[in-house]
Amino acid sequence: MHRECLRQLDDILSRHDKNRSALIPVIQEAQELFGYLPREALLKVAAHLGVPASAVYGVATFYAQFYLTPRGRHRVKVCQGTACHVRGGRSVLEAVKKQLGVGPGETTPDQKFTLERVACVGSCSLAPVVLVDEKILGGMTPDKVSRLTKASTVKERMRGRAFKIKMVFKIPAAHTALFKETPAHAGKPMPQPAFYSAIGQKQL
Amino acid sequence: MGKLTSVEELASLRAKIQSSQDSNRMRITVCGDTGCRANGSIEVARELARELAKCRPQTAVELKISGCPGFCQKGPVVLVHPPGIFYREVGRENRRRDAYDIIDKTVIGGGVVERLLYTDPHTKKTIANYDDVPFRARQMRIALQNNGRVNPDSIEDYIAVGGYAALARVLTMDPEEVIDQVKRSGLRGRGGAGFPTGVKWALCRKAEDRSMRYVICNGDEGDPGAFMDRSLMEGDPHSLVEGLTIGAYAIARGICPAEGHFYIRAEYPFAVQTIRCALKQAENMGLLGDNIIGTDFSFHVRVKEGAGAFVCGEETALIASIEGRRGMPRTRPPFPAQSGLWGKPTNINNVETWANIPRIINNGPEWYAGIGTEKSKGTKVFSLAGKVRNCGLIEVPMGTTLREIVFDIGGGIPDGKEVKAVQTGGPSGGCIPAELLDLPVDYEKLAEAGSIMGSGGLVVLDEETCMVDIARYFLEFTRSESCGKCNPCRLGIRQMHRIVEDICAGKGRPGDIELLEELAVAVKKGSLCGLGQTAPNPVLTTIKYFRDEYEEHVLRRRCPAKKCPGLFGYEINEETCKGCGLCLKHCPAGAVTGELKQPHVIDTEKCTGCGACFEKCAFKAIRKV
């Protein structure tokens, strides 16, 4: 797996210019590939771009986005922006911490969740906000947090697979996304309804 | 469609698109912005499409997903044009029924769905037309004019509403004349500092180095509590592309080639996607790239994703980040206008600034200068959030008072609470107390009050908010975001944070407040960039306007807002307590005593103030004292 990823890193490197400005985009893509930034990958990037390894390490540790240790399969980000803060974001973070049993920046021992605290995700009208992978869950309370993660682990044990289940607990519709394997619209352009062209152009 | 080779072709394309869009045909727009999407607006759109497909007799209706119309609090938002009916919270309870009703009653029946209309909280009357909703009626939308009107993924939509007409006009103008128009409009940088945009452009144009010019759109919206740049990038990307191209023409035309960059925050993956898509569409149409609209002016734009550093919103740090280095600011001069990206003259403007450029060219600088106050022209977009009824994206003329924003547009404070302060400018700004609510919002007035305009985050704080806690919150943020280059910022903020943390924990000592003030001055004076120079603002303004609250914490070990754990106690109301025993069960300190079905009592000696009982009580019988 790791070796395969290192091979794919060559593809990434070949797609970018061979100079320093490519450093951040390259390690962003590398992180997407590995899930984090392993030492070998950073050394390889440094050698390829002709940038000292120390400088690559410097960049990788400066920006909050980069991780030097493996992360969980799902990232739970708890927003700590101003609007979330005044609406109780702190207690939501405490509840998530308690639920997952890890602190911000840490990963659960089963490699399932990494907890992150983020400054603001720009969805202040939904405060307090928690992101599971790319999906935004608004209007969180400590109570909702415990119910959500509990529901997912119970079902996971039953089916042996995470996040591929329909919801059984009565929770607001917006939160059901937590149970999907991948976020519905992550990284894709804004989806138009399949019928859009038919309706927009053809006189129905 | 091939590339456009002349202005006439653009005009005829516009006419063609407009004629195909029958203005009488009903249009249903569903907000596809992050806020509404989190509430399921995409599913609502699918459901509407499904219902439309079932329609008999068949009706000609256009359904589209648009950018943010602003009223995020009431999402998912659906607008039906004409006549402009505003449906709020569509599909929150029952998606299928709501979609069915909208199609059945509005599209076919020509009426309204009463239960989905907005109800005025004061008059209790329903309002059908979006333009009559107080939230919308008191705004003036210039930068946001296309948000909620056009489909961000469709360049045709943008062209139909007059898009790229400003660019077409600029391409026939003298670059100096373009800069002069921007100067005369009085537009100032919307990123926070408020430097006149036209002057900035002129400086960059005049720079000695004549080999290359870079223009950058700063989309690194790091201020917690601000989301207008995200909404603009996601809702109206083509305005930004057009603005940036106009800027490049004004700055580089006749001197040297120009290259553009969108620097977008890592936390906004969707904005990155939308801008990339817009750039590609513009390039395919010949509105960007080589020989724009058949002229010999060429301009290429790249997208750079940030990697999560607040300080990269600062110009020189942003440049360092694009160059692949740690995002640390450097000394100025030389200013980026002389030596910026790769040592070449560089012009950086904020997203909102760029969005204003096409409007100014289209309507003329005098029109723009006629809006706003003497020194601050035009409008400003604010993201209204916090303890206010109507959260969302608003745009008002400069000089509008905070009271109008909070009460007339924001609808006041929920749950019958009182407004305590308004926080503007994020971690660089300050808290403006309720007494100053009649302050007209412009660059100078906010600075006089000790705050700044900032990028436009406006967080309303109510009586339950502890001002010391707010100061602590912002210090925590700036402490972790300081790049570490300047000692006063790196260490000073750390010390200030420690002191405020002590005060919040009830460990404050007399003299702490004075020490904070002293440190604040040192950090302000000794830091290189805006982050350090403004980081003490939240502390200074909260001390200035709420000194008594600090003193209460330090001298009496009390938190008047009952927010800081340990600085207030809990009490059980004998009358409402049912004696269920839930609090007794959950108290980790064993401070609750009482018989089943008898009112319980909290032992204040044993109580640690954790609040477990308060959260668990189903009868709201426990109150903070």
Side-chain angles (χ1 to χ4, degrees), chain B residues 555-620:
Chain B
L555 303 174
R556 294 191 52 215
R557 307 264 187 261
R558 306 283 302 162
C559 176
K562 303 186 181 69
K563 185 92 186 171
C564 300
L567 300 191
F568 62 94
Y570 291 94
E571 191 181 75
I572 297 176
N573 185 346
E574 282 179 27
E575 279 161 25
T576 39
C577 178
K578 300 271 188 268
C580 67
L582 208 58
C583 51
L584 191 148
K585 208 172 107 191
H586 282 96
C587 180
V592 184
T593 48
E595 295 292 319
L596 213 59
K597 297 197 176 165
Q598 294 294 321
H600 287 37
V601 184
I602 297 175
D603 183 352
T604 44
E605 292 288 308
K606 283 187 190 165
C607 175
T608 57
C610 69
C613 55
F614 180 79
E615 272 163 32
K616 291 293 167 197
C617 182
F619 306 100
K620 296 208 164 101

Coordinates of all heavy atoms in Angstrom, one line a residue, chain B residues 555-620:
Chain B
L555 N -11.9 41.0 41.4 CA -12.1 41.4 42.8 C -13.1 40.5 43.5 O -12.9 40.2 44.7 CB -12.4 42.9 42.9 CG -11.4 43.8 42.2 CD1 -11.9 45.2 42.2 CD2 -10.0 43.7 42.9
R556 N -14.2 40.2 42.8 CA -15.3 39.5 43.5 C -15.4 38.1 43.1 O -16.3 37.4 43.6 CB -16.6 40.3 43.3 CG -16.6 41.7 44.0 CD -18.0 42.3 44.0 NE -18.9 41.4 44.6 CZ -20.2 41.3 44.2 NH1 -20.6 42.1 43.2 NH2 -21.1 40.5 44.8
R557 N -14.6 37.7 42.2 CA -14.6 36.3 41.7 C -16.0 35.9 41.2 O -16.5 34.8 41.5 CB -14.2 35.3 42.8 CG -12.9 35.6 43.4 CD -11.8 34.8 42.8 NE -10.5 35.0 43.5 CZ -9.5 35.8 43.1 NH1 -9.7 36.6 42.0 NH2 -8.4 35.9 43.7
R558 N -16.7 36.8 40.5 CA -18.0 36.5 40.0 C -18.0 36.8 38.5 O -17.4 37.7 38.0 CB -19.0 37.5 40.6 CG -19.1 37.5 42.1 CD -19.8 36.3 42.7 NE -21.2 36.2 42.2 CZ -21.8 35.0 42.3 NH1 -21.2 34.0 42.9 NH2 -23.1 34.9 41.9
C559 N -18.7 36.0 37.8 CA -18.9 36.3 36.3 C -20.3 36.8 36.1 O -21.3 36.0 36.3 CB -18.7 35.0 35.5 SG -19.0 35.2 33.8
P560 N -20.5 38.1 35.9 CA -21.9 38.6 35.8 C -22.7 38.0 34.7 O -24.0 37.9 34.9 CB -21.7 40.1 35.5 CG -20.2 40.4 35.8 CD -19.5 39.1 35.6
A561 N -22.1 37.5 33.7 CA -22.9 36.9 32.6 C -23.1 35.4 32.9 O -23.8 34.8 32.1 CB -22.1 37.0 31.3
K562 N -22.6 34.9 34.0 CA -22.7 33.5 34.4 C -22.3 32.6 33.3 O -23.0 31.7 32.8 CB -24.2 33.2 34.7 CG -24.7 34.2 35.9 CD -26.1 33.8 36.4 CE -26.5 34.7 37.4 NZ -26.8 36.1 36.9
K563 N -21.1 32.8 32.8 CA -20.5 32.0 31.7 C -19.3 31.3 32.2 O -19.1 30.1 31.8 CB -20.2 33.0 30.6 CG -19.8 32.3 29.3 CD -20.9 32.0 28.4 CE -20.4 31.2 27.2 NZ -21.5 30.7 26.4
C564 N -18.4 32.0 32.9 CA -17.2 31.3 33.3 C -17.4 30.3 34.4 O -17.9 30.7 35.5 CB -16.2 32.4 33.8 SG -15.8 33.6 32.5
P565 N -17.1 29.1 34.1 CA -17.4 28.0 35.1 C -16.7 28.3 36.4 O -15.5 28.7 36.4 CB -16.8 26.7 34.5 CG -16.6 27.1 33.0 CD -16.4 28.5 32.9
G566 N -17.3 28.1 37.5 CA -16.7 28.3 38.8 C -17.0 29.7 39.4 O -16.8 29.9 40.6
L567 N -17.4 30.6 38.5 CA -17.6 32.0 39.0 C -19.1 32.3 39.2 O -19.4 33.5 39.2 CB -16.9 33.0 38.0 CG -15.4 32.8 37.9 CD1 -14.8 34.0 37.1 CD2 -14.7 32.7 39.2
F568 N -19.8 31.3 39.2 CA -21.3 31.5 39.6 C -21.8 30.1 40.1 O -21.1 29.1 39.9 CB -22.1 32.0 38.4 CG -22.1 31.0 37.2 CD1 -23.1 30.1 37.1 CD2 -21.1 31.0 36.3 CE1 -23.1 29.2 36.1 CE2 -21.1 30.1 35.2 CZ -22.1 29.2 35.1
G569 N -22.9 30.1 40.8 CA -23.4 28.9 41.3 C -24.7 28.5 40.7 O -25.2 29.1 39.8
Y570 N -25.2 27.3 41.1 CA -26.5 26.8 40.7 C -27.5 26.7 41.8 O -27.1 26.5 43.0 CB -26.4 25.5 40.0 CG -25.6 25.6 38.7 CD1 -24.3 25.3 38.6 CD2 -26.3 25.9 37.5 CE1 -23.6 25.4 37.4 CE2 -25.6 26.0 36.3 CZ -24.3 25.7 36.2 OH -23.6 25.8 35.0
E571 N -28.7 26.9 41.5 CA -29.7 26.8 42.6 C -31.0 26.1 42.0 O -31.3 26.3 40.8 CB -30.1 28.3 42.9 CG -30.9 28.5 44.2 CD -31.2 29.9 44.4 OE1 -32.1 30.5 43.6 OE2 -30.6 30.6 45.2
I572 N -31.6 25.4 42.9 CA -32.8 24.6 42.4 C -34.1 25.4 42.8 O -34.2 25.8 44.0 CB -32.8 23.2 42.9 CG1 -31.6 22.4 42.3 CG2 -34.2 22.5 42.5 CD1 -31.5 21.0 42.8
N573 N -34.9 25.6 41.9 CA -36.2 26.3 42.2 C -37.1 25.3 42.8 O -37.5 24.3 42.1 CB -36.7 26.9 40.9 CG -38.0 27.7 41.1 OD1 -38.6 27.7 42.2 ND2 -38.3 28.5 40.1
E574 N -37.5 25.5 44.0 CA -38.3 24.6 44.8 C -39.7 24.3 44.1 O -40.2 23.2 44.1 CB -38.6 25.0 46.2 CG -37.4 24.8 47.1 CD -37.6 25.3 48.5 OE1 -38.8 25.3 48.9 OE2 -36.7 25.7 49.1
E575 N -40.2 25.4 43.5 CA -41.6 25.3 42.9 C -41.6 24.4 41.6 O -42.5 23.7 41.4 CB -42.1 26.7 42.6 CG -42.7 27.2 43.9 CD -42.8 28.7 43.9 OE1 -43.0 29.3 42.7 OE2 -42.8 29.4 44.9
T576 N -40.6 24.6 40.8 CA -40.6 23.9 39.5 C -39.9 22.5 39.6 O -40.1 21.6 38.7 CB -40.0 24.7 38.4 OG1 -38.8 25.3 38.9 CG2 -41.0 25.7 37.8
C577 N -39.2 22.2 40.7 CA -38.5 21.0 40.8 C -39.5 19.9 41.1 O -40.3 20.0 42.0 CB -37.4 21.0 41.9 SG -36.6 19.4 42.2
K578 N -39.4 18.8 40.3 CA -40.4 17.7 40.4 C -39.8 16.6 41.3 O -40.4 15.6 41.5 CB -40.8 17.1 39.1 CG -41.4 18.1 38.2 CD -42.9 18.2 38.4 CE -43.6 19.0 37.3 NZ -43.8 20.4 37.7
G579 N -38.5 16.7 41.6 CA -37.9 15.7 42.4 C -37.6 14.4 41.7 O -37.8 13.3 42.2
C580 N -37.3 14.5 40.4 CA -37.1 13.3 39.6 C -35.8 12.6 39.9 O -35.6 11.5 39.6 CB -37.2 13.7 38.1 SG -35.8 14.7 37.5
G581 N -34.8 13.4 40.4 CA -33.6 12.8 40.8 C -32.5 12.7 39.7 O -31.5 12.2 39.9
L582 N -32.9 13.3 38.6 CA -31.9 13.2 37.4 C -30.6 14.0 37.8 O -29.5 13.6 37.5 CB -32.6 13.8 36.2 CG -32.1 13.3 34.9 CD1 -32.3 11.8 34.8 CD2 -32.9 14.0 33.7
C583 N -30.8 15.2 38.4 CA -29.6 16.0 38.7 C -28.8 15.3 39.8 O -27.5 15.3 39.7 CB -30.0 17.4 39.2 SG -31.3 17.4 40.5
L584 N -29.4 14.6 40.7 CA -28.7 13.9 41.8 C -27.9 12.8 41.2 O -26.7 12.6 41.6 CB -29.8 13.3 42.7 CG -29.3 12.8 44.1 CD1 -30.4 13.0 45.1 CD2 -29.0 11.3 44.0
K585 N -28.5 12.1 40.2 CA -27.8 11.0 39.6 C -26.5 11.5 38.8 O -25.5 10.8 38.7 CB -28.7 10.3 38.6 CG -28.4 8.9 38.4 CD -29.5 8.2 37.6 CE -29.1 7.9 36.2 NZ -30.2 7.6 35.3
H586 N -26.6 12.7 38.2 CA -25.6 13.1 37.3 C -24.5 14.0 38.0 O -23.5 14.4 37.4 CB -26.2 13.9 36.1 CG -26.7 12.9 35.1 ND1 -28.0 12.5 35.0 CD2 -26.1 12.2 34.1 CE1 -28.2 11.7 34.0 NE2 -27.0 11.4 33.5
C587 N -24.8 14.4 39.2 CA -23.8 15.3 39.9 C -22.5 14.5 40.2 O -22.6 13.6 41.0 CB -24.4 15.9 41.1 SG -23.2 17.0 42.0
P588 N -21.4 15.0 39.6 CA -20.2 14.2 39.9 C -19.6 14.5 41.3 O -18.8 13.7 41.8 CB -19.2 14.7 38.8 CG -19.7 16.0 38.4 CD -21.2 16.1 38.7
A589 N -20.0 15.6 41.9 CA -19.4 16.0 43.2 C -20.3 15.6 44.3 O -19.9 15.8 45.5 CB -19.2 17.5 43.2
G590 N -21.5 15.0 44.0 CA -22.4 14.6 45.1 C -22.9 15.8 45.9 O -23.2 15.7 47.1
A591 N -23.1 16.9 45.2 CA -23.6 18.1 45.9 C -25.1 18.2 46.0 O -25.6 19.0 46.7 CB -23.0 19.3 45.2
V592 N -25.8 17.4 45.2 CA -27.2 17.4 45.2 C -27.8 16.4 46.2 O -27.4 15.3 46.2 CB -27.8 17.2 43.8 CG1 -29.3 17.4 43.7 CG2 -27.2 18.1 42.7
T593 N -28.7 16.9 47.0 CA -29.4 16.0 47.9 C -30.9 16.1 47.8 O -31.4 17.2 47.3 CB -29.0 16.2 49.4 OG1 -29.1 17.6 49.6 CG2 -27.6 15.7 49.6
G594 N -31.7 15.2 48.2 CA -33.1 15.3 48.2 C -33.8 14.0 48.1 O -33.2 13.0 47.5
E595 N -35.0 13.9 48.5 CA -35.8 12.7 48.4 C -36.5 12.6 47.1 O -36.8 13.7 46.5 CB -36.9 12.6 49.5 CG -36.3 12.5 50.9 CD -35.7 11.2 51.2 OE1 -36.2 10.2 50.8 OE2 -34.6 11.2 51.8
L596 N -36.9 11.5 46.6 CA -37.6 11.4 45.3 C -39.0 12.1 45.5 O -39.6 12.0 46.5 CB -37.8 9.9 45.0 CG -37.8 9.5 43.5 CD1 -36.5 9.9 42.9 CD2 -38.1 8.0 43.3
K597 N -39.4 12.8 44.4 CA -40.6 13.5 44.4 C -40.7 14.7 45.4 O -41.7 15.3 45.6 CB -41.8 12.6 44.6 CG -41.9 11.6 43.5 CD -43.3 10.9 43.5 CE -43.3 10.0 42.2 NZ -44.4 9.1 42.3
Q598 N -39.5 15.0 46.0 CA -39.4 16.2 46.8 C -38.4 17.1 46.2 O -37.4 16.7 45.6 CB -38.9 15.8 48.2 CG -39.9 14.9 49.0 CD -41.2 15.7 49.4 OE1 -41.1 16.9 49.7 NE2 -42.3 15.0 49.3
P599 N -38.6 18.5 46.3 CA -37.6 19.4 45.7 C -36.2 19.1 46.3 O -36.0 18.8 47.4 CB -38.0 20.7 46.2 CG -39.5 20.6 46.5 CD -39.7 19.2 47.0
H600 N -35.2 19.1 45.3 CA -33.8 18.8 45.7 C -33.1 20.1 46.0 O -33.5 21.2 45.7 CB -33.1 18.1 44.5 CG -33.5 16.7 44.3 ND1 -34.8 16.2 44.5 CD2 -32.8 15.6 44.0 CE1 -34.9 14.9 44.3 NE2 -33.6 14.5 44.0
V601 N -31.9 19.9 46.7 CA -31.1 21.1 47.1 C -29.7 20.9 46.6 O -29.2 19.8 46.7 CB -31.2 21.3 48.6 CG1 -30.4 22.5 49.1 CG2 -32.6 21.3 49.1
I602 N -29.0 22.0 46.2 CA -27.6 21.9 45.9 C -26.8 22.5 47.0 O -27.0 23.6 47.5 CB -27.3 22.7 44.6 CG1 -28.1 22.1 43.4 CG2 -25.8 22.7 44.3 CD1 -27.9 22.9 42.1
D603 N -25.8 21.7 47.5 CA -24.9 22.2 48.5 C -23.8 23.0 47.9 O -23.0 22.5 47.1 CB -24.3 20.9 49.2 CG -23.4 21.4 50.4 OD1 -23.1 22.6 50.5 OD2 -22.9 20.5 51.1
T604 N -23.9 24.3 48.1 CA -22.9 25.3 47.5 C -21.5 25.0 47.8 O -20.6 25.3 47.1 CB -23.3 26.7 47.8 OG1 -23.6 26.8 49.2 CG2 -24.5 27.2 47.0
E605 N -21.3 24.4 49.0 CA -19.9 24.1 49.4 C -19.3 23.0 48.5 O -18.1 23.1 48.1 CB -19.9 23.6 50.9 CG -20.3 24.7 51.9 CD -19.2 25.7 52.1 OE1 -18.1 25.3 52.3 OE2 -19.5 26.9 51.9
K606 N -20.1 22.0 48.3 CA -19.6 20.9 47.5 C -19.6 21.1 46.0 O -18.8 20.5 45.2 CB -20.4 19.6 47.8 CG -20.1 19.0 49.1 CD -20.9 17.7 49.2 CE -20.8 17.1 50.6 NZ -21.8 16.0 50.8
C607 N -20.5 22.0 45.5 CA -20.7 22.2 44.1 C -19.4 22.7 43.4 O -18.8 23.7 43.9 CB -21.9 23.2 43.9 SG -22.1 23.6 42.1
T608 N -19.1 22.1 42.3 CA -17.9 22.5 41.5 C -18.3 23.5 40.4 O -17.4 23.9 39.7 CB -17.1 21.3 41.0 OG1 -18.0 20.6 40.2 CG2 -16.6 20.5 42.1
G609 N -19.6 23.6 40.2 CA -20.0 24.5 39.1 C -19.9 23.9 37.7 O -19.7 24.6 36.7
C610 N -19.9 22.5 37.6 CA -19.7 21.9 36.3 C -20.9 22.1 35.4 O -20.7 22.0 34.2 CB -19.4 20.4 36.5 SG -20.8 19.4 37.0
G611 N -22.1 22.2 35.9 CA -23.2 22.5 35.1 C -23.9 21.2 34.6 O -24.8 21.3 33.8
A612 N -23.5 20.1 35.1 CA -24.1 18.8 34.6 C -25.6 18.8 35.0 O -26.4 18.4 34.2 CB -23.4 17.6 35.3
C613 N -25.9 19.2 36.2 CA -27.3 19.2 36.6 C -28.2 20.2 35.8 O -29.3 19.8 35.4 CB -27.4 19.6 38.1 SG -26.6 21.2 38.5
F614 N -27.6 21.3 35.5 CA -28.3 22.3 34.7 C -28.7 21.8 33.3 O -29.8 22.0 32.8 CB -27.4 23.5 34.5 CG -28.0 24.7 33.8 CD1 -28.9 25.5 34.4 CD2 -27.6 24.9 32.5 CE1 -29.5 26.6 33.7 CE2 -28.2 25.9 31.7 CZ -29.1 26.8 32.3
E615 N -27.7 21.0 32.7 CA -28.0 20.5 31.4 C -29.0 19.4 31.4 O -29.8 19.2 30.5 CB -26.7 20.0 30.7 CG -26.0 21.1 30.0 CD -24.5 20.7 29.7 OE1 -24.2 19.5 29.6 OE2 -23.7 21.6 29.7
K616 N -29.0 18.6 32.5 CA -29.9 17.4 32.5 C -31.3 17.7 32.9 O -32.2 17.0 32.6 CB -29.3 16.4 33.5 CG -28.0 15.7 33.1 CD -28.2 14.9 31.8 CE -26.8 14.5 31.2 NZ -26.9 14.0 29.9
C617 N -31.5 18.8 33.7 CA -32.8 19.1 34.2 C -33.9 19.2 33.1 O -33.7 20.1 32.2 CB -32.8 20.3 35.1 SG -34.5 20.6 35.8
A618 N -34.9 18.4 33.2 CA -35.9 18.5 32.1 C -37.0 19.5 32.4 O -37.8 19.8 31.5 CB -36.6 17.1 32.0
F619 N -37.0 20.0 33.6 CA -38.0 21.0 34.0 C -37.6 22.4 34.1 O -38.3 23.3 34.5 CB -38.7 20.5 35.3 CG -39.2 19.1 35.2 CD1 -38.4 18.1 35.8 CD2 -40.4 18.8 34.6 CE1 -38.9 16.8 35.7 CE2 -40.8 17.5 34.5 CZ -40.1 16.5 35.1
K620 N -36.3 22.6 33.7 CA -35.7 24.0 33.8 C -35.8 24.5 35.2 O -36.1 25.7 35.4 CB -36.3 24.9 32.8 CG -36.0 24.5 31.3 CD -36.0 25.7 30.4 CE -35.4 25.3 29.1 NZ -36.3 25.1 28.0

